[in-house]
Amino acid sequence: MPRLISHPVIFPAAATALVIAIVVMAMTVAGLYQSRAAMVAHTLEVERELARFFADLQESEIAARGYVLVGDQTYLDSFSAARGEVTTRIETLARLTADNAEQQADIPKLRQLVADRMDLANRAMGQREAGADDAAIRSFVSGRGPEITNALRETIEAMESREADLMAVRSVEQRDSGRLLILFGGLVVVSSLVVIVLWLRDRRRTYA
């Protein structure tokens, strides 16, 4: 029976080159998978930060209303803490969405709406502190207050919707690259085993 390859050195070299090529492709796919997994994690982080921002915003609203209604200093302290958190969240969102032009376009809007809402709250609380209870309540629960709150909610919901769309796309991309990674990982193992078996057969025939 003729030998598989006439020259015993050619087969190991060619087989090794094939395995190396498959390994390189597998490493490329692994890098792609890691990149897409990082994008999914990033989107999750933005979604969490949006949820925290809205929660802090609601907390500041509740605290301001509480102080306007009952004048308890505890509410004032809670409002100050929540206002600081809201400001920090906006800057965090600005940093996290730096690569997204659509989301970035809403950051200045968020800043302005928050500034307007906080200004109204501060004025109402100032009126309450000065003893103008009815005027404080009216200024906080009517006029531009609800309008600003609705605009904030709509803006946040729009940003959340964009992130949800990104998550849907990026999750599919991560899943597909994960499947490719499994495929190439299997090819590396199988090709390595085949090369070893054929190389041993070729060596035995060479020295038979």
Side-chain angles (χ1 to χ4, degrees):
M1 181 182 293
R3 290 170 47 209
L4 292 176
I5 296 180
S6 59
H7 197 293
V9 178
I10 295 177
F11 182 79
T16 301
L18 175 62
V19 173
I20 290 174
I22 295 175
V23 169
V24 169
M25 292 177 70
M27 291 175 63
T28 301
V29 173
L32 180 62
Y33 176 80
Q34 290 176 345
S35 174
R36 289 177 173 175
M39 294 304 294
V40 168
H42 178 78
T43 304
L44 283 172
E45 187 177 4
V46 175
E47 289 180 333
R48 284 193 297 265
E49 200 62 29
L50 281 167
R52 291 167 183 160
F53 170 74
F54 188 61
D56 289 334
L57 193 63
Q58 288 182 312
E59 186 176 343
S60 71
E61 180 89 4
I62 292 169
R65 284 179 180 273
Y67 183 77
V68 167
L69 289 172
V70 301
D72 190 329
Q73 179 66 34
T74 303
Y75 287 112
L76 190 59
D77 295 340
S78 296
F79 173 79
S80 298
R83 180 178 57 187
E85 288 296 327
V86 167
T87 301
T88 300
R89 299 289 183 202
I90 292 178
E91 299 314 312
T92 301
L93 285 169
R95 174 177 57 80
L96 290 175
T97 60
D99 61 341
N100 190 319
E102 284 187 288
Q103 299 290 55
Q104 282 285 293
D106 274 340
I107 296 298
K109 184 179 179 181
L110 277 183
R111 287 195 182 106
Q112 187 59 57
L113 287 170
V114 166
D116 291 344
R117 195 68 181 108
M118 294 302 175
D119 182 59
L120 286 176
N122 283 326
R123 275 191 280 169
M125 289 187 292
Q127 289 174 325
R128 178 67 169 83
E129 191 172 6
D133 298 354
D134 292 341
I137 294 172
R138 284 196 303 273
S139 68
F140 195 71
V141 301
S142 62
R144 291 194 65 224
E147 178 186 336
I148 295 172
T149 299
N150 288 336
L152 275 166
R153 183 179 294 106
E154 290 171 1
T155 303
I156 294 169
E157 287 175 352
M159 295 181 74
E160 288 175 333
S161 178
R162 294 189 200 108
E163 291 302 322
D165 291 342
L166 278 175
M167 177 60 73
V169 173
R170 289 171 176 175
S171 295
V172 170
E173 291 176 343
Q174 182 188 14
R175 183 195 64 199
D176 291 345
S177 58
R179 289 173 176 173
L180 276 176
L181 182 58
I182 293 173
L183 173 63
F184 276 101
L187 283 175
V188 169
V189 173
V190 172
S191 63
S192 298
L193 290 175
V194 169
V195 165
I196 291 171
V197 170
L198 294 179
W199 184 82
L200 289 174
R201 287 176 59 187
D202 187 69
R203 295 294 291 176
R204 281 199 298 269
R205 291 180 180 181
T206 299
Y207 295 105

